[in-house]
Structure formats: C-alpha cells, structure tokens
Amino acid sequence: MIGSVLIGLFLLALVAGMPLATGLGVASIAVLAMAGFDQLAVPTNIYAGIAKYPLLAIPMFILAGMIFERSGVAIRLVRFVTAMVGEWTGSLAVVAVLVSMLLGGISGSGPADAAAVAAVMLPSMIARGYPKGFSAGLIAASGSTAIVIPPSVAFIVYSVMVPAATVPALFAAGLFPGMVAALCLLVPAIVISRKYGFGRDYKAERPPLGKSFIDAIWGLLAPVIILGGLRTGIFTPTEAAVVAVAYGIFVGMVVYRSISFRGLFRVLVEAGELSAVVLMIIGIASVFAWAGNTLGIFDAAAKALVGLHSSEWLMLLSINLLLLAAGMFLDAISIFLILLPLLVPIAIAMGWDLVWFGVMMTINLAIGQFTPPMAISLMITSRIAGIGMEETFKWVVWLVLAMGAGLALMIVFPQLALWLPGRLGYL
Amino acid sequence: MTTESPLHDAETPAPYTIEQILSGIVMGLIVLITFGNVLARYFTSQSFAATEEFSIALLIVLSFLGSSAAFAFDRHIRVDFFVRKLPPGLHAFIDWLSFAVTASLFAFIAFYAGKLTWDQYRFEETSPALGVPQWWYTVWMPVLAVALVLRLVITRMRRRA
C-alpha cells in the first residue's frame, strides 16, 4: 500500500509535467507521513545526499565540458578529422561521428556534445547537400555516446549510488563499448549517404594534415590528461575534473583566446545552474531512496519482479525495454536516480557484474536520448537545424537499430566492457 | 525537460538574478578550493584536505542557489510530453498547480531544515573534519529554500502582471 503511494504519486507528478525534483519530494513526504516518520529525515537526507566528496566531480565535469564547447575546440577537431578522412561521398557523416566520439572524451553529456557538434558541422553538411533531417539525426545519435565514453557524469552518479562500481572501473569499462556504439553508427551513415549520394558533387580542398593536427592538439590532449591522470592514479575523479577545468580555461582564454572574463563568468553561472539541477534531484532522490529502502519497498518490488521472470534473458530484455522507454523521456542521470534503487537488487539477485550492468544501462539510455517520439538530443539538434523533429525520424530509425546492435554485442560479449578495467586492475 | 536549456539563451543574455551571480561565485570558489588542493598536494606534499568540508558544503549552497533560477525559469528537468497534448486551459491549470506544489515543497523543506539547524545549534553539534559548529553549514538550506520560494512567487506574479 505505502509502496504504491510512493510510486503512484511520483508517476502522477511526472506525467503532470511537474519538475522531477518536486515529484520525488512530494511522494517521499507523503510516504514518510503515512509511515509516521519524523519529517526531519527530509532535510537530513537532502544534506547527506548532496554533501558528498565524489559528487564534487559533477559540477567540475559539467564546467569542463561547457568550457571546451565554448573554447572553439570543436571546429579545430572537425578540421583535423576532415584532413584525415578526406572528402568523398558520405565523408562528412563519418567526420560527424568521429568528432562526436572525440568530444565525448572531453564532455560527459550527450545533449551538450550534440549541440557543440551540430553548431559546427550542420552548416557545412547542409551546404554539401546532406538533408537537414539526416544530419541532425546523425549528430544527435553520435553525440549521445558521450555519456558512455569517459569521462561521463552519468557514470559518476552511478558510482555514488552503487559504490561497488568505482568511477575508474566504470570509465575504463565504458571506453570500448562507447567507441563500438559510435562506430556502429558509421554503417548506416555510410550506406545511406552512398545510396543517396550525399556530398557527391562537392569538391573542397582538403585541410593540410600537419597544420590541422597542431591546431587541434590542445583539444586532443584533453582526454589524455583526464584519463591518463585517472589511470596513473595521480588524480581522483574530482581532481581530474578540476584539472580539466583549469586546462580548458587555459586553452580557451590563453591559447585560442575565445573566452573573455565575462564569458567565463557566464559559463560559471550556466554550469552552476545545470549542476544545481542535477544535485537538487540527487538530494531529493536520496530522500526518495531512503524512504523506499527503509520501508522495504524496493526490495519487495525487486523480489516480485525477479519471481515473475523465469529466465535471465527475459529479465534482461524487460529491463532493457524499460530503460529504452524511460530514456526517451528523461536524461540518464535522472533515470539512474529513480530506477537504480529498484534495479540494483535485481542485478545482484541475478548475479550480474555491477560495472557491466552500469555500462549496459548507460548505452541503453544513450539510445533513448535520440529515439523518437521524445528525445532530448534530437530536440536540440533539430532546433539548431531549424527543422521539426519529425523530419529526422525516417533516418533516425536506422541509427537506433545500429546502436541497438552495438548494445546487443556488449550484452552478449561482456568482455567488451570488462576486459579493460580487468586488465588495469580496477575490478 | 531538457538538461541543456541554459545553452540556447546565450544569444540574448538576460540580466542575472542575485542567486545566479552568487551561484557563479560559488562555482568559482569550488574550482579554486579544489584546484588549490591539487596544487598543494603535489607541490608541498601537504594536504589541506579538511577544506573538502567547505567544498562539499558549497555543493549544498550551489544546489539551492542554482535551482532557484532553474525552477523559476522552467529549466528544471521535467517531462512536458503529456501536458503539451492537453487543451490550453487545462495546461495552464496544471502549470499553476506545478508552481504551487513546488513552492509548497520548498517551504516545507525550509521549515524542517530550519528545525534541523536549530537542533544542531541547540545541541552544539560540530562538523567531522574541521570541528566547527555544524549549523554553519546546515543553515544555508533553510535560508536559500526561503529565497527559492520567494523567487518562484515573484516570477509567477510578474508573469501575471
């Protein structure tokens, strides 16, 4: 009874379009009142939920991502990758995917990555005859791999909620599946471009490889610094993030001179607000999780669900469908906060590796970010392209299928995710 | 509903609210303290790790400050997919309900966070790392929750006018 109030009230508020934090808070307070608990649990859990050292990495990675977006790194990466790939039918589609992958190694947020690539690449793709719908869809899809390719804010949240999976282990585990997911997109991108001859009649001078490499080196070094620092154990994730911020400020303000002091403050305010949104949801979700756990609601639900599914594969399929549906409506971090209290007991009961499970969830949510009818990344790239989201649908179907194949690969061959962290001694 | 909406009004910068200015400063402080920590640790092999306590308390301050503008200007994460399909009258009503519930929730949080702070003050609780009174950190929750409610109400009244 109490359990259905908790879930029911929350879902009601969610469907009614209330802010996620509001829905979580109202449902938790109602349940605490019904169970006769002291409401002091609300501020206590909000404080304890937010005031955690590992969470410091979230505002820092969000800030680093935003600084690199504004620093002009994206356009230099595009030039460098174009110099490598060359100009042929469908070449710009390949460039878009590869640049998104590289930027994903700097920023930890899919929609932000997609926005940065779209701003730089959409004009040239359209000029070369790629349809707006195709370009916006492809950039949304490849940008969404940013939450799988380290560094990833989603992995940090996962690690805070599932301490058995450390941030370095998750980052290492996400690297290959993220790259595989992005490379899977190349298949439909190239096939479709060749079939319709996108960019066939356009001949442009290829940027010189050496010069464009030197131009892009500052951006290319960012993932090396972040991941290398983590790997060598010099930095904790929070420290790696703040070093990335300092490096980004140096590149943006000193090397490229594209960020002014005023611009820097604006980035601080905007990154602060976005971080606050995430942190407030984390804080209130921890009241929600505390109420649900203390009252045994999630355990009971998990047990019921495990009992309902006879086979492991059926369970896995149900979870993936649930995640895909949830991923269309919400971002990965919010979904982790809502669903992990329920899904982790299931994963443990099934004997699944929690690092692998985290990567699987994240790829699935990445797919949700560009799956119609409601997709955060698609919405952003369509807005930048100046088209309705519907125009992307006929192209995006193929991209969803392609990345779904990548997800299936990773589920069937868990070593794709687990080999690297095992090799590095993180497991 | 999107997590990235601050991005697209970069072209027409609206004047900052007080909370936005403060949240920018808090972000800067977190960067400085954390980066200072890294530098201190590698160059002097001394740690002022106790300052972590400040940084994580600043996370609380940041959450409330930043959420204030995010709630007021409808940039907090929400799902508007279903509501948009409703007739305008009902949509407006649900919009108003969402405002009322959010404002009440934070008024509630302000009250109980105030009670928590008062308890910590009364029982002279001290913080784990630095040993300073715990209420120095906690007090920002009720104060900023009240500010958040005020910002919500003011924005709503301006919109009506």
Side-chain angles (χ1 to χ4, degrees), chain B:
Chain B
M1 158 201 47
T2 93
T3 49
E4 304 302 328
S5 18
L7 278 177
H8 58 83
D9 29 78
E11 306 103 36
T12 49
Y16 294 122
T17 64
I18 304 166
E19 297 96 308
Q20 281 179 311
I21 293 173
L22 291 175
S23 69
I25 294 171
V26 169
M27 272 298 270
L29 271 179
I30 295 177
V31 172
L32 288 179
I33 295 178
T34 316
F35 192 61
N37 239 329
V38 177
L39 291 184
R41 189 141 71 85
Y42 296 107
F43 291 113
T44 68
S45 74
Q46 257 180 4
S47 122
F48 52 108
T51 53
E52 260 172 28
E53 199 174 278
F54 279 134
S55 315
I56 62 176
L58 284 176
L59 280 184
I60 294 277
V61 174
L62 179 69
S63 314
F64 281 85
L65 281 175
S67 282
S68 163
F71 276 122
F73 306 125
D74 190 18
R75 290 196 289 250
H76 232 278
I77 296 176
R78 67 191 192 94
V79 176
D80 66 355
F81 180 75
F82 304 103
V83 190
R84 265 186 296 152
K85 300 200 178 324
L86 294 174
L90 198 55
H91 191 164
F93 169 73
I94 290 200
D95 209 39
W96 188 88
L97 188 71
S98 170
F99 152 76
V101 173
T102 306
S104 321
L105 171 69
F106 278 89
F108 182 95
I109 290 175
F111 177 78
Y112 279 98
K115 215 173 145 205
L116 179 71
T117 311
W118 172 238
D119 279 355
Q120 290 177 343
Y121 175 78
R122 255 188 326 162
F123 300 123
E124 296 179 5
E125 274 180 48
T126 50
S127 72
L130 296 175
V132 298
Q134 181 66 36
W135 69 266
W136 289 7
Y137 299 140
T138 325
V139 72
W140 298 106
M141 276 203 292
V143 170
L144 295 174
V146 168
L148 196 155
V149 174
L150 287 178
R151 175 67 58 196
L152 274 178
V153 172
I154 290 171
T155 326
R156 173 71 33 175
M157 283 186 352
R158 278 210 191 127
R159 198 183 307 168
R160 194 159 298 154

Side-chain angles (χ1 to χ4, degrees), chain A residues 83-170:
Chain A
M84 281 205 314
V85 172
E87 291 256 13
W88 32 277
T89 312
S91 67
L92 271 194
V94 175
V95 173
V97 172
L98 294 180
V99 169
S100 303
M101 230 168 81
L102 281 174
L103 264 189
I106 302 174
S107 110
S109 147
D113 188 0
V117 177
V120 176
M121 290 217 59
L122 270 177
S124 45
M125 289 182 84
I126 293 164
R128 284 165 173 73
Y130 291 78
K132 287 181 178 175
F134 171 77
S135 314
L138 182 65
I139 292 172
S142 48
S144 67
T145 57
I147 58 169
V148 189
I149 296 173
S152 152
V153 177
F155 281 151
I156 297 170
V157 173
Y158 184 88
S159 170
V160 168
M161 300 197 63
V162 187
T166 63
V167 171
L170 286 164

Side-chain angles (χ1 to χ4, degrees), chain A residues 32-43:
Chain A
L32 290 178
M34 281 172 72
F37 285 9
D38 190 341
Q39 297 285 6
L40 271 181
V42 175

